[in-house]
Amino acid sequence: MVKFEQIKGFVFDLDGVIANTSAYHAQAWHQLADELDVTWTEDLGNQLKGVGRMDSLNLILKYGGKENDYTEDEKIKYAAEKNDNYLKLLESLDKSVILPGMGEFIKDIADHHYLISLASSSKNSPRVLEKLDLAKYFNERVDPVTLKHGKPDPEIYTRGAEILNLKPEECVGLEDAVAGVKAINGSGETSVGIGDPKILHEADINFNDTSEVTLENIKKAMDQMSDSIATD
Ligand code: BG6
Ligand code: MG
């Protein structure tokens, strides 16, 4: 069991963890699902969280029983259309979309000399981080284009530690998505799930919302985890 004192770095998801941009992704996918005549549900929205662009489109088509209805070229066109919708929503993006406490938390861990990397599936993440004026705190970023497999595969979190020259056990990963929590767990990092604990029950540590994410609370949770294992 990893102790808090062993932690040297934090690997962040972006959409839904640092910024409320997951709502923008959902809105843009919803728009496309309507066009494809696939019924949008909360469950579908949750399945898409954290999942890359093409994989998301394939999930939507499968959900609507339309997985064999389109050629690869048509799918590329629809994925581009979703991205155009998303970029339109990003035009008005400013610091107000930073989720409660996350600006302070990132600054705090940087002040405490932890290393920080980004493990977002989004190709738009550099643009979003710049707009939020948070890029300066990140030592490294995994470029999702270079990955063989998307979340829930652990590759993105494994790389998130590697690019900081850290072992996975020395890192905490933060996620709002089921696919993302699975990816962190598979990489061997300590997983923090932010959101409904019933949905994110596989996470090592759960917080209901971002305002609870502080170094102190992560330490408390990790101390409790090692205490409960020691007394088992
Ligand atoms: C993830 C989002 O961070 O990035 C998903 O949670 C999104 O909703 C994925 O589909 C890919 O993003 P993009 O910007 O490259 O289409
Ligand atoms: Mg996310």
Side-chain angles (χ1 to χ4, degrees):
M1 178 72 242
V2 180
K3 289 196 181 339
F4 177 76
E5 289 67 27
Q6 289 168 253
I7 298 301
K8 294 182 179 158
F10 288 82
V11 186
F12 281 84
D13 175 43
L14 172 66
D15 301 307
V17 167
I18 297 174
N20 189 21
T21 37
S22 51
Y24 294 25
H25 279 292
Q27 197 177 323
W29 281 126
H30 191 158
Q31 220 171 310
L32 185 68
D34 286 350
E35 191 185 322
L36 296 170
D37 208 18
V38 174
T39 310
W40 183 262
T41 64
E42 207 182 309
D43 174 46
L44 176 58
N46 280 329
Q47 285 188 41
L48 297 182
K49 277 188 191 167
V51 175
R53 201 178 299 169
M54 257 308 171
D55 288 347
S56 295
L57 176 61
N58 284 324
L59 275 176
I60 291 174
L61 292 175
K62 195 162 172 224
Y63 200 80
K66 296 176 190 288
E67 62 266 51
N68 299 319
D69 290 9
Y70 297 99
T71 63
E72 277 311 304
D73 283 352
E74 283 169 328
K75 287 203 247 178
I76 289 168
K77 185 183 84 62
Y78 283 124
E81 188 181 317
K82 179 270 171 178
N83 196 49
D84 289 344
N85 293 341
Y86 178 65
L87 290 180
K88 274 189 206 116
L89 297 169
L90 283 194
E91 273 167 23
S92 57
L93 196 80
D94 61 25
K95 287 184 184 181
S96 65
V97 300
I98 299 177
L99 287 162
M102 287 316 269
E104 294 80 353
F105 175 63
I106 293 169
K107 186 175 180 319
D108 191 35
I109 56 177
D111 286 348
H112 282 83
H113 307 294
Y114 288 99
L115 296 174
I116 308 178
S117 68
L118 191 73
S120 167
S121 312
S122 174
K123 295 176 187 149
N124 294 300
S125 65
R127 183 193 302 238
V128 173
L129 271 193
E130 282 300 337
K131 282 205 170 209
L132 305 180
D133 199 22
L134 293 174
K136 59 190 174 203
Y137 295 113
F138 283 76
N139 302 94
E140 296 292 343
R141 163 185 172 262
V142 181
D143 183 351
V145 175
T146 63
L147 300 172
K148 287 201 187 69
H149 305 287
K151 298 173 188 177
D153 188 279
E155 188 178 7
I156 194 166
Y157 277 94
T158 305
R159 289 272 294 281
E162 234 166 54
I163 52 177
L164 297 174
N165 290 317
L166 297 178
K167 296 184 197 124
E169 312 84 76
E170 294 172 323
C171 295
V172 168
L174 299 103
E175 269 289 348
D176 66 312
V178 174
V181 167
K182 283 185 195 293
I184 302 175
N185 289 347
S187 77
E189 294 166 18
T190 298
S191 55
V192 170
I194 306 165
D196 188 340
K198 284 197 214 81
I199 295 175
L200 301 174
H201 59 89
E202 289 178 48
D204 296 316
I205 300 170
N206 284 101
F207 295 121
N208 283 302
D209 64 74
T210 53
S211 63
E212 295 171 20
V213 182
T214 61
L215 270 180
E216 198 188 335
N217 284 344
I218 293 173
K219 177 177 171 6
K220 223 185 274 174
M222 289 184 76
D223 287 351
Q224 268 168 17
M225 276 158 63
S226 9
D227 284 354
S228 71
I229 285 176
T231 53
D232 272 352

